[in-house]
Amino acid sequence: MSQNIVYSLTALVALLPASIYPYHRIAGQGVDGRSAYFWGALALGFAGPAAWALTQVAGRWHTGLSTALWITIAACMLLFMAMSALTRSAWRLSPLLLPYLLTVGAFATLAQQAPAPVLRGGAPGIWIDLHIAVSVITYALLTMAAVASLAAFLQERALKSKRPTPLTRFLPPVAESERMQLHLLAASETVLGAGLATGMAVLYYETGALLRADHKTLLSVASFVVIGGLLLAHARTGVRGRLAARLVLIAYLLLTLAYPGVKFVTDVLLG
């Protein structure tokens, strides 16, 4: 077993306590609410992926799929910790978010041996670093928006069927989920717009062109259009519920295909 696999497995194990905690709460076990165990588990779940991701990019930025996924997991954990500290209900998204991040971490571990090319380009380093940071923040924001949308969808379906489950009783109320979804979408649209702009700047320095009709660009623009359309529709008609949740999940799928999806094809399938 290679050293990188061992480190990746260690980061994966660090996510386990946080992933298990909400289901202990759903089952009626453990202490209530945002306990010291909750914060400790979140801190561990952030520290493991963050330390491994920083180790991989130390010195020069590597663009491999596994590295990108671990950086994404660390960013999502950090954002979730901030939201849980600042809002009353965000921590209740943990049964949906944390097992999902654990699954992403398992996939990152499986992809550890895939090629991880070093980033090269003629653009100034500050533009490249800014574009990467904006891309990671965008994906973390939209991940949280998608989780909040899924929570609202599950809550609404349970209310209409009059069959609440232990999971839906734990999740935030529909109004809270939709409020978080809207704020996260607005932030995602703003940061994604900045990401497209910095991407254009990097491309201009490298090729002299502002746009390139590749899969990543087209999918990112499509995601920007879907999110913008949803925000506009909400402002004008108050669209919400299942339709809004489906549109958010479509935008998240598009950005997933643009970000880790393209890396999976190039590094794993074609690598």
Side-chain angles (χ1 to χ4, degrees):
M1 184 180 294
S2 71
Q3 189 177 43
N4 285 353
I5 291 292
V6 173
Y7 290 151
S8 193
L9 286 172
T10 302
L12 184 65
V13 170
L15 287 166
L16 275 174
S19 302
I20 293 172
Y21 174 79
Y23 289 93
H24 278 284
R25 289 288 303 114
I26 290 173
Q29 303 173 12
V31 293
D32 292 335
R34 293 169 289 184
S35 64
Y37 177 87
F38 173 78
W39 292 114
L42 287 189
L44 179 63
F46 165 72
W52 177 220
L54 290 174
T55 299
Q56 293 182 85
V57 300
R60 298 192 70 181
W61 187 275
H62 293 265
T63 61
L65 175 62
S66 181
T67 303
L69 292 178
W70 283 119
I71 291 171
T72 299
I73 291 169
C76 289
M77 289 296 298
L78 184 61
L79 177 60
F80 179 62
M81 290 171 67
M83 289 179 59
S84 297
L86 296 174
T87 65
R88 183 178 59 185
S89 301
W91 76 279
R92 291 186 175 274
L93 297 173
S94 55
L96 301 179
L97 174 69
L98 299 179
Y100 170 68
L101 294 181
L102 181 67
T103 302
V104 174
F107 187 73
T109 302
L110 292 175
Q112 190 63 53
Q113 298 302 322
V118 176
L119 183 64
R120 293 181 176 89
I126 184 63
W127 281 108
I128 295 176
D129 293 342
L130 180 61
H131 178 61
I132 291 171
V134 167
S135 298
V136 171
I137 294 170
T138 299
Y139 197 69
L141 286 168
L142 198 54
T143 297
M144 291 302 306
V147 171
S149 297
L150 180 59
F153 175 82
L154 294 175
Q155 284 281 46
E156 185 180 4
R157 187 176 66 175
L159 289 172
K160 286 186 175 181
S161 65
K162 298 182 180 179
R163 292 180 180 178
T165 65
L167 174 61
T168 58
R169 291 191 184 98
F170 186 92
L171 294 174
V174 173
E176 286 291 319
S177 296
E178 290 182 339
R179 181 182 60 81
M180 287 188 286
Q181 166 195 299
L182 184 62
H183 291 167
L184 288 163
L185 281 178
S188 300
E189 183 77 343
T190 302
V191 181
L192 180 54
L196 292 173
T198 55
M200 291 168 64
V202 170
L203 184 63
Y204 180 78
Y205 275 111
E206 293 179 348
T207 68
L210 288 175
L211 287 174
R212 181 168 52 197
D214 57 11
H215 294 86
K216 182 178 180 180
T217 301
L218 295 175
L219 290 167
S220 297
V221 170
S223 181
F224 183 81
V225 170
V226 171
I227 296 172
L230 177 57
L231 290 172
L232 182 61
H234 178 81
R236 291 192 172 184
T237 66
V239 63
R240 56 192 300 177
R242 296 188 180 187
L243 176 58
R246 289 191 180 101
L247 290 174
V248 174
L249 294 174
I250 288 172
Y252 183 63
L253 174 61
L254 290 171
L255 201 61
T256 299
L257 292 173
Y259 182 41
V262 170
K263 291 184 180 296
F264 175 75
V265 173
T266 56
D267 295 354
V268 178
L269 297 184
L270 301 180

